[in-house]
Amino acid sequence: SSSSSSSKACAPHAAGHDQLCSSNEYRVRSTGFMDTLAVTKRVQSINSSVARSLESFNVSKSSVACKVMWDKGIRDFVGYGLGAAMESFQPLRAYLAYAGCNIIVSESFAFEWGVNFLEPFWNSVLSDTIWTEQSKFLPVCSTPFFRRWTVGPHVKCEADPGVFSDGHQTAFWHSPYYNKAPFPQFRDLLLQTFGPRLAAYRPPFKERYAAFHIRHGDRMRIIQHNNFVLGARFDAINLPSLTTVLRAQWPDLTKVFFATDDATEIITATKMNREGSLTINWTANELRSLGGTLKSQWRKHLSTQPAVNVALDDMLGLAGASVLIGGSDSSFFNVARALNQNLHENVQRPFPWCFDVFTHKPCN
């Protein structure tokens, strides 16, 4: 040990103890907060990883063994439910690559996807006219995901027999190709999709923060209808109860971003900002209803461009948090958690960093 000097870096020390110094730079322990540069580096790394994974499978643009005419844009994702759509789309995307499918989109589709700062997932782009001509005589894809996703345009497919069978897809999702290499399930594909928007996103705080996700509305009514006990537990997931978890697990965190569909929670947050020790932030300009999303909007969520921006920014606010609290009953929370985990893959932060208020367990 020695005293500090202008040429040495010294670690923090307690009173009465010698200060440890080194000629090397002292690295402060990470809090889990990632600035724009760190996010950009992580996104670039993921892009390289995904490129290597996709190169494992050859897709011939002239082949008709599997051709997918894709037309479901980001508004359709948000309308279906951004979390639920991404949970199904990304594994399907991995399977289409494995099957050698050529995903084809129109120029207008590619433009809309790009202006929302989302990474392309397709193999080919055609003019709107040619895309329509090639698509109109093809049958609708018959995968279970598309059979559920009835709102919005249909995805058309042309493939050899069996390519889109439930059995082939299930076998792939249980295979090493999907669970080990080249795809570590859909984690990298998911982060790649949101990569450009993450790199451009301005986080709600310029330091480490916690993030809450509170989903009520249509989802809550369905759970309460199916299981009264689960419904009662779900009813207790609100801003005060998540704040209690935060103070018990991470008492030093005072900055909170939260995403919710319930206008009642915004009223509560406004009051807590005036009276409490937390600074709470949320995405502005979202049309929220008292009690949450209306039951009539199940799988038919508002999907105007402002609604799309809010859904994407809510997802990114959760993904960038050092600490995440929410319920695993929600697809939106599960996707945000997967993004958060992969984004922070090489970042030190306190353990645990995630708490599931639906199961009452850590969700690291």
Side-chain angles (χ1 to χ4, degrees), residues 90-112:
Q90 299 294 353
L92 175 63
R93 182 184 166 199
Y95 174 75
L96 294 178
Y98 167 78
C101 295
N102 184 20
I103 304 176
I104 307 171
V105 302
S106 66
E107 288 179 341
S108 59
F109 178 96
F111 176 80
E112 181 201 28

Side-chain angles (χ1 to χ4, degrees), residues 228-358:
F228 176 78
V229 174
L230 290 181
R233 181 189 295 179
F234 192 77
D235 195 24
I237 297 177
N238 51 44
L239 192 56
S241 67
L242 268 61
T243 299
T244 299
V245 173
L246 177 70
R247 286 173 170 158
Q249 296 282 341
W250 303 277
D252 60 320
L253 263 174
T254 59
K255 303 291 192 298
V256 176
F257 170 81
F258 88 114
T260 184
D261 64 339
D262 191 344
T264 305
E265 298 297 329
I266 300 296
I267 296 172
T268 302
T270 303
K271 183 178 180 181
M272 291 175 66
N273 270 339
R274 290 197 303 264
E275 301 175 354
S277 58
L278 297 179
T279 301
I280 306 174
N281 204 339
W282 56 89
T283 304
N285 303 319
E286 180 176 357
L287 294 177
R288 302 176 178 91
S289 300
L290 293 174
T293 306
L294 300 176
K295 186 177 180 180
S296 61
Q297 292 180 327
W298 172 252
R299 294 288 183 257
K300 294 179 289 186
H301 295 270
L302 183 67
S303 57
T304 60
Q305 188 57 50
V308 167
N309 290 335
V310 166
L312 292 174
D313 287 347
D314 273 355
M315 184 68 75
L316 301 194
L318 298 175
S322 299
V323 165
L324 189 61
I325 305 175
S328 60
D329 55 288
S330 165
S331 294
F332 197 97
F333 175 78
N334 290 332
V335 168
R337 176 191 165 277
L339 275 174
N340 187 301
Q341 184 179 45
N342 203 4
L343 182 65
H344 291 80
E345 181 77 20
N346 302 315
V347 176
Q348 290 183 341
R349 55 177 166 176
F351 186 90
W353 58 267
C354 179
F355 193 85
D356 183 351
V357 292
F358 195 71

Side-chain angles (χ1 to χ4, degrees), residues 114-159:
V115 296
N116 283 285
F117 293 91
L118 300 171
E119 186 71 16
F121 60 86
W122 49 84
N123 307 102
S124 308
V125 180
L126 299 176
S127 70
D128 291 9
T129 301
I130 295 176
W131 187 93
T132 300
E133 286 297 319
Q134 290 195 15
S135 174
K136 65 182 179 182
F137 296 115
L138 295 183
V140 174
C141 294
S142 60
T143 67
F145 176 39
F146 292 131
R147 290 198 292 270
R148 295 192 303 270
W149 197 350
T150 57
V151 177
H154 293 296
V155 175
K156 303 290 192 68
C157 298
E158 181 180 20

Side-chain angles (χ1 to χ4, degrees), residues 177-198:
Y177 288 109
Y178 182 63
N179 293 284
K180 292 184 179 180
F183 296 109
Q185 297 192 348
F186 67 84
R187 294 172 65 249
D188 287 358
L189 294 173
L190 178 68
L191 183 50
Q192 184 217 26
T193 295
F194 286 94
R197 195 170 182 105
L198 274 165

Side-chain angles (χ1 to χ4, degrees), residues 12-202:
H13 70 294
H17 290 74
D18 291 338
Q19 190 170 35
L20 300 178
C21 299
S22 170
S23 59
N24 297 321
E25 179 183 1
Y26 174 73
R27 297 184 64 183
V28 179
R29 185 180 179 184
S30 173
T31 63
F33 177 74
M34 297 180 69
D35 60 19
T36 300
L37 179 60
V39 170
T40 300
K41 287 183 176 180
R42 180 58 181 159
V43 167
Q44 290 172 344
S45 174
I46 287 296
N47 286 344
S48 298
S49 174
V50 169
R52 289 192 298 270
S53 297
L54 296 177
E55 286 171 1
S56 301
F57 308 106
N58 293 320
V59 176
S60 172
K61 294 184 178 181
S62 60
S63 172
V64 295
C66 181
K67 181 164 65 174
V68 179
M69 308 299 288
W70 190 276
D71 198 28
K72 285 190 180 293
I74 189 59
R75 292 190 181 190
D76 300 303
F77 278 72
V78 171
Y80 184 80
L82 183 60
M86 285 293 172
E87 273 189 325
S88 296
F89 167 70
Q90 299 294 353
L92 175 63
R93 182 184 166 199
Y95 174 75
L96 294 178
Y98 167 78
C101 295
N102 184 20
I103 304 176
I104 307 171
V105 302
S106 66
E107 288 179 341
S108 59
F109 178 96
F111 176 80
E112 181 201 28
W113 195 263
V115 296
N116 283 285
F117 293 91
L118 300 171
E119 186 71 16
F121 60 86
W122 49 84
N123 307 102
S124 308
V125 180
L126 299 176
S127 70
D128 291 9
T129 301
I130 295 176
W131 187 93
T132 300
E133 286 297 319
Q134 290 195 15
S135 174
K136 65 182 179 182
F137 296 115
L138 295 183
V140 174
C141 294
S142 60
T143 67
F145 176 39
F146 292 131
R147 290 198 292 270
R148 295 192 303 270
W149 197 350
T150 57
V151 177
H154 293 296
V155 175
K156 303 290 192 68
C157 298
E158 181 180 20
D160 288 341
V163 169
F164 288 108
S165 70
D166 296 351
H168 279 204
Q169 293 176 73
T170 300
F172 167 73
W173 290 324
H174 287 88
S175 74
Y177 288 109
Y178 182 63
N179 293 284
K180 292 184 179 180
F183 296 109
Q185 297 192 348
F186 67 84
R187 294 172 65 249
D188 287 358
L189 294 173
L190 178 68
L191 183 50
Q192 184 217 26
T193 295
F194 286 94
R197 195 170 182 105
L198 274 165
Y201 178 69
R202 295 181 62 183

